[in-house]
Amino acid sequence: QVHLVESGGGLVQSGGSLRLSCVASGRAFNDKHMGWFRQTPGKGREFVATASWYGGWLYYAHFAEGRFTISGDNAKNTSYLEMTNLRPSDTAVYFCAVSTYYTTYETGFRYWGQGTQVTVSS
């Protein structure tokens, strides 16, 4: 079983930055893929970014390119999502997730955190 816990969300003004963290426990992660999704009320989860845990490739949603950075610290079993130049449209609950293969689809991620709220004011 894998347990994921996000933190780092909060309220920030438009143009500001936040760094989300996701601590993973329960199993080894060096052969896994980490991902970040977000969800707004009344909508399904939207893909944000994904990367292999051991490094080597990254993939971002179009809206995240150039503003968000996904990374991981193997020693800490922690995934990060650095978000800069935030916009009110980025307001959502952000979830981290772990998959055993490369995918950008929500259904491909087996393990999920509880989510952390990000609110961007105009």
Side-chain angles (χ1 to χ4, degrees):
Q1 184 68 22
V2 173
H3 187 57
L4 304 175
V5 179
E6 301 102 332
S7 62
L11 174 64
V12 64
Q13 289 187 332
S14 181
S17 301
L18 282 174
R19 187 177 79 159
L20 307 182
S21 300
C22 174
V23 179
S25 61
R27 295 180 61 179
F29 295 93
N30 57 356
D31 61 339
K32 304 299 186 294
H33 303 266
M34 53 186 165
W36 287 90
F37 289 74
R38 67 185 188 183
Q39 186 172 24
T40 54
K43 295 185 178 181
R45 287 177 183 169
E46 178 182 36
F47 169 76
V48 177
T50 187
S52 58
W53 199 271
Y54 53 85
W57 59 264
L58 305 166
Y59 187 77
Y60 295 93
H62 180 68
F63 66 82
E65 290 178 345
R67 297 191 302 128
F68 294 4
T69 302
I70 185 173
S71 64
D73 185 331
N74 290 337
K76 297 181 179 179
N77 272 352
T78 301
S79 170
Y80 302 100
L81 184 68
E82 186 83 35
M83 304 185 294
T84 63
N85 193 20
L86 284 162
R87 308 163 181 165
S89 58
D90 294 317
T91 295
V93 177
Y94 284 72
F95 297 88
C96 68
V98 170
S99 172
T100 57
Y101 61 97
Y102 168 75
T103 181
T104 62
Y105 290 96
E106 177 185 357
T107 54
F109 287 82
R110 181 176 179 182
Y111 303 106
W112 292 85
Q114 82 290 349
T116 184
Q117 176 71 47
V118 171
T119 303
V120 184
S121 62
S122 57

